[in-house]
Amino acid sequence: MIPAAFEYARPTSVDEALQAVAEGGEDVKIMAGGQSLIPVMRLRLAAPSTVVDLGRVAEMRGVRDDGDALVIGAMTTHAEVITDPLVAQHAKLIAEATETVADRQTRRRGTFGGALAHADPAGDLPAVALALDAEMVVAGPNGRRTVPASEFFVDYLTTTLDEGEILVEIRVPKLAGDWGVRYEKFNRVAQAWSIVAVAAAVRRENGHIAEARIGLTNMGPTPLRASATEAALNGAAASPDAVAAAARSAAEGTSPSSDLNAQADYREHLAQVLTRRAVTAAAGL
Amino acid sequence: MTVTEDPATAEVAPEREVGKARRRKEDARLITGRTTWTDNMVLPGMLHMSVVRSPVAHGKITNVDVSAAQQAPGVVAVLTGRDLAEEQGSIPCAWPVTADMVNPGHPSIAVDEVNHVGEAVAVIVARSRSAAADAIELVDVDYDLLPPVLDMEEAVKHEADLCHDHIDSNTSYHFVFDAGEAGTGGDTEQAFADADVVVSRRFVNQRLIPAFMEPRSVVVQPQGDNFTMWSATQIPHVLRVMLAMVTGIPEHKLRVVAPDVGGGFGGKLQVNPEEVIALLVARRLGKPVKWTETRSESLMAAHHGRDQIQYVDIASTREGDVQGLRVRILADMGAYLRLITPGVPALGAFMFPGIYKFPAYRFECDGVFTNKVPTDAYRGAGRPEATFAVERIMDELAVELGMDPLEVRRRNWIQSQEFPFTTVAGLEYDSGDYDTATQQALDLLGYPELREEQRRRRESNDPVQLGIGFSTFTEMCGLAPSRVLGSLSYGAGGWESASIRMLPTGKVEVVTGSTPHGQGHETAWSQLVADQLGVPFEDIEVLHGDTAVAPKGMDTYGSRSLVVGGTAVVKAADKVVAKARKVAAHLLEANEDDLDFSGGKFTVRGTPGTALSIQEIALAVFAAHDYPEDVEPSIDADATFDPVNFSFPHGTHVCAMEVDTETGFVKIRKYACVDDVGTIVNPLIVEGQVHGGLAQGIAQALYEEAVYDADGNLTTGSFVDYLVPSAADLPHFDTGNTVHVAPGNPIGAKGVGEAGCIASTPAVVNAALDAVRHLGVQDIRMPLTPERVWRAIHQGGDGGDRATAGSNAYGGAQTETTAGVSTPQSSLGGDR
Ligand SMILES: Cc1cc2nc3c(=O)[nH]c(=O)nc-3n(C[C@H](O)[C@H](O)[C@H](O)COP(=O)(O)OP(=O)(O)OC[C@H]3O[C@@H](n4cnc5c(N)ncnc54)[C@H](O)[C@@H]3O)c2cc1C
């Protein structure tokens, strides 16, 4: 479990980091918390020639209030996200999902941005970012661009990040109104990845569900929205029956894989049950 | 405390050490890792070895090109199977269970063909560990692929593909125990013909991986024509003998040391190919060599355990009196026979009848070769498989008869007044009381309340159903009476050895042949000796694991250490006292018969005030100025103990299980067990062994399985997919004990190392089934993944096969890639 030899750079600013990445050649890899990258390097599934460690880039770390949105630095660790007061106030769903990630040690090192850039379909945070309509702020050799979560995740372990680009921060729109949230994660042992998980945010108005946003984890190569269920819930009565009926279409348009934890049909079934449970809890029923 | 008549000479009776919940004296160093783990060892000039492993399950090796690896920086040598073919011999199998058992031979490093993924095909020796690792992917091996043999039921069919083409079938042996023929029971066929009720089931006892915490590691130092091997092994003594036989290095030129060893669970009860290779490489190069495996290597190349398909028939009267038991087994050997591969199921043969009075019993087992890593001992070794079968079939019988599962058990189990009891398998059970243990376990669980809750949930059609499952088990421990082992064709004895050295300052060295790998021997042996010699616990040091320090031993497995090794220690201590008594009589100028020995002191009966401690006597014989004419100036002693019978711990385990019928998720609500392990030397150690055993037994029921895909890749190739539970996944355990002293040894101990692991698995499965039987579920295959439970509830059957692809975490880390060879296809692994 020894990685192949590699060059190592440790920049202290985004500009330096971009430069280090540019100079790192074709096989350069960015390292955030290293919790996904180092294992694949140790297993020699990845053998980058250069590793650019963002650990010292202070400007990429922390959470700030930016009016209608929260801005979470890509290098903010899972542990920091969980305890951040702004996240607790305006994006509780992120905190709730992050608490289910791995174990304490991993959460001390792993980062919010790293988890999104890694884009593991079993990872918990991409579906949350998608459900919350987050935007990725990406820096590259030609300046910055902003990519909505709905366009960021492209395929299995693949995002729109181009070579030479760095995910700098994530803008998360604040939820305005009477929102309830729930992250419903299904796994076999406490510290494992999701077999399936459902992120739900539900706004209630006058005894009805005014709006529901539902993100699905591990129901395909990328995180997905349960659009059919969302549509069915819009304006629906806030009742267990209405939620249960809407949840039945949660797996529509998904394409989950089969592995030793679950075959595809069982994942589809789980998506329905978990969606019902997540929405029920988020709606305070 | 009683008030003595003479306060001046009164001594408080020393507190007994046996029975004290002492914290383990070895733990600080073991837990912090500041100790002699083999991988911590650094020798001057030491080279590092890495192993190139086969990424294919079955194939002929057509070419091995090592030229690029040889040129790599830091590489000293690259050796292939061809290079070592003449000297490597075959990994020994010490247990030919039948006279005509077929052993295909087991090269440490493959020469012409590979038979499982992870088999060694070349080794790299380099100046640093990283240089050795880097060169692995530079070795180019060509294979002509052969069809892999992976399914036992297919493998035993006529004209099946062969695992080894130089032998003519995939069956290694056919082992039979028939109680009728052995004279220990009636005619089994007749019993079944006459029975009112026969229940037949097929159970799958899945393949498991021992998953010890410290990976295997070995260091070999050549010194002239002598060799010292440090190895993370459970069996330094057995290893030394076997290495001498395999390599031809004379036994007296070989010293084997098991320093502190971080767990084994039977997984380090082995003569490992890598140990043999490291020894050959060190001999060839004349330099110290170290090999330490990665976790991926450990999972794919260290031996696995269990893996049986069991066809079990039970015959009974309509009233529930059992009439006969018939067991046929396919036992997966894997590709080769290692140390006791064939013996594991044969050892289990004697435990299938469990605690029940079956009048007739027949057992048949086929040992089957497949292109997977060999199986061998894993915590319980044969007994968990047997216990699972009998405790599951008793439940099935109860269901068939419409009886309470406990009632069926009670009707048939041995009553406390019937001990010693000779079973239909010919074993003489020593002592116990199954009724009392069961009643206590039910009390611990809060049985009536949970049954009531189960009824409520059933009536209200709650999505979460509740079930209660039992396992009333016994096991054979204290391996083993040497003569019995001989009758079973095992290649060695089952005795254990100990010596006690009394040092001049009164301190005591206890040398044990029973080498620990985390059990706490140092603490328990100190407690035994403190009582026996009356010296302070702190004055005792326990030495072990080095064949130069502890020259004789049979090591640690089969819950034998305290029962056999501890007894040897007690007997050695008795000899020390006997020797010291002669010296004491001389020095106190008294008759030996007038001496009392208590609290570490010899006193002369009727002469208050005269006393001589055994520690003072140690100094006296060291000085040797004044000692009796007819004795030697030493009170040191050795003892070897060979038990006459096994010991038979027993217990009742009760599990209450919640099953979420919507998702199939199972969650243990409550777990209670009462074990009878005889005398308890240290309650804390016993509790720890029970907890750890429960975790492993529950893990077999719910979490762990070594999964191979259709090509023979181990897809549970990392701990992401080979699911070992943590404390967070396990319930609180309510544990208790009854104590029926074992009559077969002076300590009265029966052994506790495997109890929890053996007993718990069927209790957990029975509990889950009890929760959902009313929904039409008859069986669910282990491990009870949520998917299987859900399928069994909603689609019928036993939950079926799992998809074999590993999960995608880490980008799908599979053996194919972790073997050191990655292909574009393998990056996702399995059958995705
Ligand atoms: C034992 C264990 C259990 C885990 N369990 C879970 C779990 O249950 N749920 C879960 O969601 N995750 C889990 N994880 C993964 C964990 O959340 C990781 O922290 C996360 O997936 C990656 O974050 P990181 O900061 O460690 O990224 P790294 O490992 O450093 O990087 C991951 C990838 O993203 C790229 N990258 C990182 N940052 C940037 C950036 N700013 N710009 C561009 N590219 C970037 C890297 O180049 C790399 O390819 C687990 C990890 C471990 C070790």
Side-chain angles (χ1 to χ4, degrees):
Chain A
M1 301 282 268
I2 298 173
F6 55 86
E7 300 292 324
Y8 178 74
R10 193 162 57 178
T12 57
S13 69
V14 173
D15 287 344
E16 274 179 39
L18 286 169
Q19 196 175 339
V21 171
E23 287 166 2
E26 243 182 65
D27 283 343
V28 66
K29 264 281 173 198
I30 293 165
M31 183 168 88
Q35 297 304 289
S36 295
L37 180 62
I38 291 178
V40 295
M41 288 172 63
R42 295 180 69 206
L43 292 164
R44 298 204 177 209
L45 296 168
S49 55
T50 305
V51 170
V52 177
D53 180 353
L54 302 180
R56 292 264 170 104
V57 183
E59 61 188 286
M60 286 178 66
R61 200 156 173 167
V63 183
R64 62 171 203 276
D65 194 328
D66 192 26
D68 293 345
L70 279 191
V71 180
I72 304 177
M75 287 300 293
T76 311
T77 65
H78 298 319
E80 288 163 352
V81 166
I82 291 170
T83 52
D84 188 89
L86 287 172
V87 172
Q89 199 182 341
H90 301 295
K92 201 166 142 250
L93 186 57
I94 297 181
E96 207 180 285
T98 307
E99 274 176 32
T100 72
V101 170
D103 48 70
R104 263 168 204 281
Q105 291 92 322
T106 304
R107 292 194 296 264
R108 291 286 293 194
R109 287 195 168 269
T111 64
F112 187 52
L116 297 177
H118 188 52
D120 186 334
D124 293 298
L125 301 172
V128 174
L130 188 68
L132 295 179
D133 290 332
E135 292 177 325
M136 316 294 159
V137 180
V138 176
N142 308 316
R144 298 199 174 198
R145 63 185 177 113
T146 300
V147 187
S150 56
E151 292 167 21
F152 185 71
F153 302 103
V154 179
D155 201 352
Y156 179 73
L157 300 178
T158 311
T159 66
T160 53
L161 282 172
D162 273 333
E163 259 169 46
E165 285 191 323
I166 294 175
L167 173 61
V168 178
E169 55 195 28
I170 299 93
R171 297 180 60 84
V172 184
K174 291 180 185 169
L175 294 175
D178 179 17
W179 287 86
V181 298
R182 177 65 149 225
Y183 192 68
E184 196 67 42
K185 172 164 174 169
F186 192 81
N187 55 7
R188 288 175 61 205
V189 295
Q191 298 171 358
W193 274 264
S194 289
I195 296 171
V196 174
V198 175
V202 176
R203 183 163 62 85
R204 284 184 60 167
E205 233 173 52
N206 312 325
H208 278 72
I209 292 174
E211 190 183 351
R213 304 202 199 154
I214 301 163
L216 303 175
T217 296
N218 218 8
M219 287 300 291
T222 65
L224 296 168
R225 289 279 282 262
S227 318
T229 301
E230 290 180 352
L233 284 171
N234 276 354
S239 73
D241 285 348
V243 171
R248 266 178 226 125
S249 49
E252 263 177 35
T254 63
S255 53
S257 62
S258 287
D259 62 31
L260 39 75
N261 284 322
Q263 294 173 53
D265 63 327
Y266 174 60
R267 279 203 162 89
E268 286 171 9
H269 167 76
L270 283 178
Q272 298 169 30
V273 175
L274 300 175
T275 297
R276 194 193 75 222
R277 290 180 182 179
V279 172
T280 302
L285 294 174
Chain B
M1 201 140 300
T2 42
V3 180
T4 49
E5 284 158 24
D6 183 357
T9 58
E11 296 243 15
V12 178
E15 204 185 339
R16 273 180 67 79
E17 278 290 338
V18 168
K20 251 195 213 173
R22 273 199 178 269
R23 294 212 182 165
R24 308 197 318 179
K25 55 158 96 169
E26 53 270 68
D27 276 356
R29 69 172 202 270
L30 296 180
I31 290 168
T32 58
R34 290 169 194 269
T35 189
T36 56
W37 304 124
T38 303
D39 191 50
N40 284 351
M41 182 91 49
V42 178
L43 298 175
M46 186 173 78
L47 300 173
H48 298 260
M49 186 172 100
S50 65
V51 182
V52 181
R53 297 184 180 278
S54 170
V56 306
H58 197 194
K60 296 281 177 198
I61 299 172
T62 54
N63 187 43
V64 185
D65 180 356
V66 300
S67 51
Q70 266 165 345
Q71 305 303 314
V75 170
V76 173
V78 183
L79 300 168
T80 66
R82 223 359 103 239
D83 296 324
L84 296 169
E86 298 305 310
E87 52 194 292
Q88 68 172 333
S90 173
I91 293 290
C93 174
W95 204 335
V97 289
T98 60
D100 56 357
M101 181 186 85
V102 175
N103 183 347
H106 184 351
S108 290
I109 178 164
V111 182
D112 297 315
E113 66 174 53
V114 290
N115 283 296
H116 65 85
V117 164
E119 188 167 355
V121 288
V123 292
I124 307 208
V125 190
R127 288 191 210 291
S128 70
R129 193 170 176 195
S130 49
D134 284 346
I136 289 180
E137 54 205 44
L138 300 176
V139 176
D140 208 0
V141 188
D142 296 331
Y143 303 94
D144 262 356
L145 296 189
L146 294 167
V149 178
L150 299 167
D151 180 317
M152 283 195 282
E153 285 170 331
E154 291 296 322
V156 294
K157 284 184 183 156
H158 186 59
E159 305 209 323
D161 290 328
L162 287 179
C163 179
H164 297 280
D165 55 13
H166 64 284
I167 54 179
D168 54 9
S169 89
N170 290 315
T171 303
S172 170
Y173 65 84
H174 183 73
F175 176 94
V176 179
F177 175 84
D178 187 293
E181 288 163 19
T184 51
D187 181 330
T188 307
E189 294 315 312
Q190 195 59 49
F192 273 83
D194 296 345
D196 300 338
V197 177
V198 173
V199 178
S200 300
R201 291 286 182 271
R202 171 185 179 271
F203 298 132
V204 179
N205 213 281
Q206 81 273 29
R207 184 175 269 254
L208 299 179
I209 305 181
F212 31 76
M213 194 176 287
E214 178 207 17
R216 295 175 301 156
S217 180
V218 56
V219 173
V220 181
Q221 180 172 44
Q223 185 192 22
D225 61 352
N226 278 266
F227 298 87
T228 301
M229 172 184 287
W230 291 264
S231 184
T233 178
Q234 289 175 231
I235 50 159
H237 299 91
V238 177
L239 184 58
R240 180 196 195 198
V241 178
M242 292 296 170
L243 286 173
M245 290 179 172
V246 170
T247 64
I249 295 170
E251 192 181 349
H252 63 301
K253 301 287 185 186
L254 200 54
R255 171 181 165 205
V256 177
V257 186
D260 278 336
V261 177
F265 308 119
K268 292 174 181 165
L269 199 188
Q270 194 52 272
V271 178
N272 283 294
E274 296 86 352
E275 288 166 330
V276 174
I277 300 170
L279 180 56
L280 298 180
V281 167
R283 176 166 72 176
R284 184 172 284 219
L285 301 180
K287 291 225 168 194
V289 171
K290 179 198 276 185
W291 172 77
T292 301
E293 70 183 347
T294 66
R295 183 59 68 182
S296 312
E297 285 183 286
S298 191
L299 295 176
M300 84 175 121
H303 73 243
H304 292 176
R306 315 275 191 265
D307 209 345
Q308 294 184 355
I309 299 175
Q310 309 171 323
Y311 310 91
V312 186
D313 308 320
I314 191 169
S316 167
T317 64
R318 188 130 336 265
E319 293 70 41
D321 297 316
V322 295
Q323 299 299 301
L325 181 68
R326 193 165 53 196
V327 179
R328 282 169 302 126
I329 281 182
L330 297 179
D332 195 340
M333 307 284 96
Y336 300 109
L337 302 181
R338 285 193 184 166
L339 192 59
I340 58 165
T341 302
V344 170
L347 186 65
F350 301 93
M351 290 319 305
F352 279 87
I355 62 170
Y356 310 109
K357 295 184 275 187
F358 283 99
Y361 171 53
R362 180 176 170 86
F363 172 90
E364 288 178 60
C365 171
D366 283 318
V368 182
F369 293 116
T370 60
N371 291 111
K372 300 180 185 174
V373 80
T375 58
D376 207 303
Y378 173 51
R379 203 169 189 173
R383 291 156 289 163
E385 297 91 320
T387 302
F388 180 78
V390 69
E391 289 305 302
R392 283 284 297 107
I393 202 74
M394 290 305 280
D395 261 35
E396 296 298 312
L397 176 63
V399 170
E400 179 72 27
L401 296 171
M403 287 175 71
D404 179 272
L406 258 190
E407 191 42 44
V408 175
R409 286 174 168 81
R410 238 185 229 118
R411 261 186 109 86
N412 290 292
W413 70 41
I414 300 156
Q415 300 298 317
S416 59
Q417 68 277 8
E418 293 177 295
F419 289 101
F421 182 91
T422 302
T423 74
V424 72
L427 294 175
E428 189 192 281
Y429 289 4
D430 51 3
S431 67
D433 180 349
Y434 306 142
D435 279 291
T436 306
T438 301
Q439 195 47 54
Q440 285 189 20
L442 293 177
D443 293 345
L444 276 179
L445 188 80
Y447 184 59
E449 293 78 12
L450 285 168
R451 276 287 186 222
E452 175 55 25
E453 181 182 332
Q454 178 183 37
R455 194 189 55 76
R456 278 200 310 273
R457 285 178 186 267
R458 229 170 249 195
E459 278 174 6
S460 67
N461 219 357
D462 196 314
V464 178
Q465 290 290 313
L466 187 68
I468 299 173
F470 301 98
S471 168
T472 50
F473 88 109
T474 189
E475 54 158 329
M476 56 204 280
C477 280
L479 307 187
S482 298
R483 289 187 185 88
V484 175
L485 290 179
S487 73
L488 293 171
S489 316
Y490 183 63
W495 48 264
E496 195 46 88
S497 151
S499 338
I500 292 183
R501 306 203 285 242
M502 300 299 294
L503 305 182
T505 56
K507 308 296 183 197
V508 183
E509 281 178 344
V510 178
V511 179
T512 178
S514 175
T515 304
H517 47 285
Q519 291 83 357
H521 291 21
E522 291 177 25
T523 301
W525 280 208
S526 297
Q527 289 180 268
L528 290 175
V529 172
D531 278 356
Q532 235 42 47
L533 297 183
V535 301
F537 175 85
E538 293 73 20
D539 284 359
I540 301 161
E541 191 68 22
V542 179
L543 308 177
H544 52 75
D546 181 342
T547 59
V549 173
K552 285 175 55 182
M554 279 294 170
D555 307 314
T556 290
Y557 44 84
S559 302
R560 71 186 304 272
S561 293
L562 183 63
V563 177
V564 190
T567 298
V569 167
V570 166
K571 291 193 177 276
D574 288 346
K575 289 187 189 173
V576 169
V577 174
K579 283 180 155 186
R581 182 180 294 272
K582 287 198 191 305
V583 182
H586 175 81
L587 294 175
L588 293 170
E589 296 174 353
N591 192 312
E592 261 185 70
D593 298 337
D594 294 335
L595 294 185
D596 282 333
F597 181 67
S598 159
K601 288 195 175 67
F602 289 98
T603 49
V604 185
R605 226 167 289 128
T607 317
T610 57
L612 198 54
S613 81
I614 198 159
Q615 294 180 295
E616 290 168 311
I617 295 170
L619 182 62
V621 293
F622 169 73
H625 298 162
D626 184 14
Y627 63 99
E629 296 286 341
D630 55 342
V631 303
E632 56 186 12
S634 165
I635 58 171
D636 294 353
D638 298 339
T640 302
F641 176 65
D642 190 8
V644 175
N645 189 8
F646 298 94
S647 54
F648 295 88
H650 72 82
T652 297
H653 287 230
V654 197
C655 177
M657 177 77 90
E658 289 176 4
V659 179
D660 181 338
T661 57
E662 290 184 336
T663 62
F665 193 83
V666 292
K667 181 164 175 270
I668 295 178
R669 164 75 171 278
K670 212 158 179 210
Y671 195 99
C673 60
V674 172
D675 283 290
D676 195 318
V677 299
T679 304
I680 292 173
V681 171
N682 182 323
L684 201 59
I685 294 180
V686 165
E687 182 88 358
Q689 288 290 330
V690 170
H691 279 218
L694 291 177
Q696 275 176 312
I698 291 169
Q700 171 164 24
L702 302 186
Y703 303 116
E704 297 184 23
E705 178 174 27
V707 178
Y708 285 85
D709 70 11
D711 297 327
N713 292 306
L714 180 73
T715 56
T716 48
S718 81
F719 279 155
V720 173
D721 289 323
Y722 190 80
L723 275 199
V724 178
S726 70
D729 306 303
L730 297 165
H732 169 79
F733 300 127
D734 290 295
T735 63
N737 292 102
T738 58
V739 177
H740 289 82
V741 169
N745 67 74
I747 303 168
K750 293 180 173 174
V752 69
E754 294 151 302
C757 189
I758 294 172
S760 55
T761 312
V764 173
V765 176
N766 283 337
L769 287 170
D770 186 53
V772 294
R773 275 207 199 261
H774 66 292
L775 303 174
V777 179
Q778 290 196 348
D779 193 16
I780 309 174
R781 242 155 74 192
M782 297 190 293
L784 275 60
T785 67
E787 177 176 18
R788 277 185 171 147
V789 176
W790 176 77
R791 283 191 199 284
I793 295 172
H794 297 280
Q795 301 175 346
D798 63 2
D801 287 327
R802 304 161 74 187
T804 58
S807 66
N808 48 23
Y810 291 158
Q814 314 283 302
T815 50
E816 216 180 333
T817 51
T818 50
V821 181
S822 80
T823 61
Q825 298 86 321
S826 69
S827 65
L828 290 182
D831 55 11
R832 186 189 314 285

